[in-house]
Amino acid sequence: MGTPQAAVPTLERLIDEGHEIVAVYTQPDRPSGRGNKIVFSPVKECALGRGILVCQPTKVRTKEAADEFASLNADVAVVVAYGRILPEAFLKAFPNGAINVHFSLLPKYRGAAPVNWAIVNGEVTTGVTTMKMDKGLDTGDILLQIETEVSEDETSVELMERLAVDGAVLCSETLKNLRSINPKPQDHVLATLAPMMKKSDGQIDWTYAAHEIVNRVRGFQPFPSSFTFLDGKRFTIWRANVAEGRSEAESGTILPGGEGELLVSCGSTTVISVIEIQSEGKRRVLAKEFLNSGQIRPGMMFC
């Protein structure tokens, strides 16, 4: 049971290892892009390519959905970013219940966007957890975990790609050793939340310190991205670093810099160097090309 690209490595590994996948559950097809063209989820594309039955219920909290699920007579359900909270009827349908591959070191970062919030909050380590699902939000007993370092310039997209592969390996080990693993209850006191992100989360608050803004630029990708405004135009910042030096200028002020440097003052007298930026309706460009376009000059302010 999964939907995005992050779930595909687990599905492919389980197929390649010889597990019998009796069905794949994924979110219903949805329109996407300017033409509202119907697109399949990455998990559905993978399943169809492997000749596996695909189920896409619009609702899971019905008796009909639960009965159809139970009729598959599987040994266990494997859930990787399916995108829905499963009712107890699903969790108890099979002898070994449901195992979730979650992209954090539980109990930290329970919720829909653990990778994004880990980066936003400046974590230097994170990982993947397999857990026995219960009716709570990522509250089930821990089965196995694997830890990894977070590079200081790594984006959430890049980190997710790595964790998706780690998750496939961990899921494989979990299934191989399911009977011998001693499930470990989570310490709920240590739990933190990673809620679904809102578009408004991406608007840059220039009163934050430079390292906090850089972490948001890294973490809020591909959605909601990190954006700001100047003269009514929206600008999206895709890459940035903490710059050396300090500035007493008001937060959001564009500062003089060296050739090709786009410097902006931030809170606590800190400064960021914008590496890659995108004007509304334009392509992403490096700071040097952006500065050459003449859209901004020192003393102007992002708001």
Side-chain angles (χ1 to χ4, degrees), residues 230-288:
L230 178 64
D231 291 339
K233 289 184 65 177
R234 172 173 161 149
F235 296 87
T236 301
I237 296 176
W238 292 104
R239 281 196 297 153
N241 294 327
V242 177
E244 296 181 0
R246 318 293 286 186
S247 172
E248 299 291 340
E250 188 174 352
S251 299
T253 302
I254 298 165
L255 305 172
E259 184 179 357
E261 274 193 317
L262 175 51
L263 305 178
V264 186
S265 62
C266 307
S268 304
T269 71
T270 59
V271 178
I272 72 165
S273 174
V274 176
I275 307 300
E276 190 175 15
I277 189 169
Q278 182 177 18
S279 304
E280 190 170 5
K282 304 291 185 179
R283 62 183 177 87
R284 294 161 61 162
V285 297
L286 296 177
K288 182 177 182 179

Side-chain angles (χ1 to χ4, degrees), residues 95-100 130-134 139-143 178 183:
N96 293 294
I99 293 171
N100 180 228
T130 50
M131 80 174 171
K132 192 73 175 290
M133 295 179 71
D134 62 17
T139 56
D141 291 352
I142 293 170
L143 298 172
L178 193 56

Side-chain angles (χ1 to χ4, degrees), residues 41-231:
S41 74
V43 166
K44 180 176 178 178
E45 292 276 11
C46 177
L48 291 177
R50 298 291 194 119
I52 299 172
L53 170 69
V54 175
C55 301
Q56 298 177 275
T58 55
K59 296 180 180 179
V60 294
R61 295 185 177 276
T62 66
K63 184 178 184 303
E64 293 76 17
D67 289 346
E68 180 184 29
F69 189 70
S71 72
L72 295 169
N73 294 317
D75 296 309
V76 64
V78 173
V79 184
V80 191
Y82 178 43
R84 286 188 171 159
I85 297 176
L86 298 176
E88 279 194 275
F90 276 65
L91 301 180
K92 296 179 177 179
F94 306 139
N96 293 294
I99 293 171
N100 180 228
V101 178
H102 185 78
F103 298 110
S104 80
L105 296 175
L106 290 171
K108 294 185 75 171
Y109 299 108
R110 295 172 176 172
V115 176
N116 303 86
W117 289 110
I119 288 182
V120 169
N121 291 334
E123 300 287 355
V124 295
T125 60
T126 187
V128 184
T129 302
T130 50
M131 80 174 171
K132 192 73 175 290
M133 295 179 71
D134 62 17
K135 62 181 180 179
L137 178 63
D138 300 325
T139 56
D141 291 352
I142 293 170
L143 298 172
L144 294 178
Q145 290 186 312
I146 186 171
E147 185 175 313
T148 187
E149 292 185 0
V150 181
S151 302
E152 64 179 16
D153 61 347
E154 197 166 23
T155 68
S156 53
V157 173
E158 294 163 342
L159 179 57
M160 186 72 261
E161 289 177 353
R162 289 203 296 116
L163 293 181
V165 175
D166 289 345
V169 173
L170 197 66
C171 183
S172 172
E173 290 301 309
T174 300
L175 292 180
K176 285 179 185 176
N177 301 288
L178 193 56
R179 293 178 181 175
S180 61
I181 294 172
N182 184 26
K184 177 184 175 182
Q186 294 188 44
D187 185 346
H188 303 304
V189 174
L190 300 178
T192 60
L193 295 179
M196 187 176 295
M197 295 164 296
K198 308 182 298 295
K199 185 177 181 179
S200 58
D201 289 326
Q203 184 158 347
I204 297 172
D205 183 343
W206 292 102
T207 64
Y208 284 11
H211 75 276
E212 295 176 296
I213 294 175
V214 169
N215 287 344
R216 281 163 167 74
V217 170
R218 294 167 53 220
F220 289 145
Q221 294 190 28
F223 177 87
S225 71
S226 294
F227 57 90
T228 187
F229 294 89
L230 178 64
D231 291 339

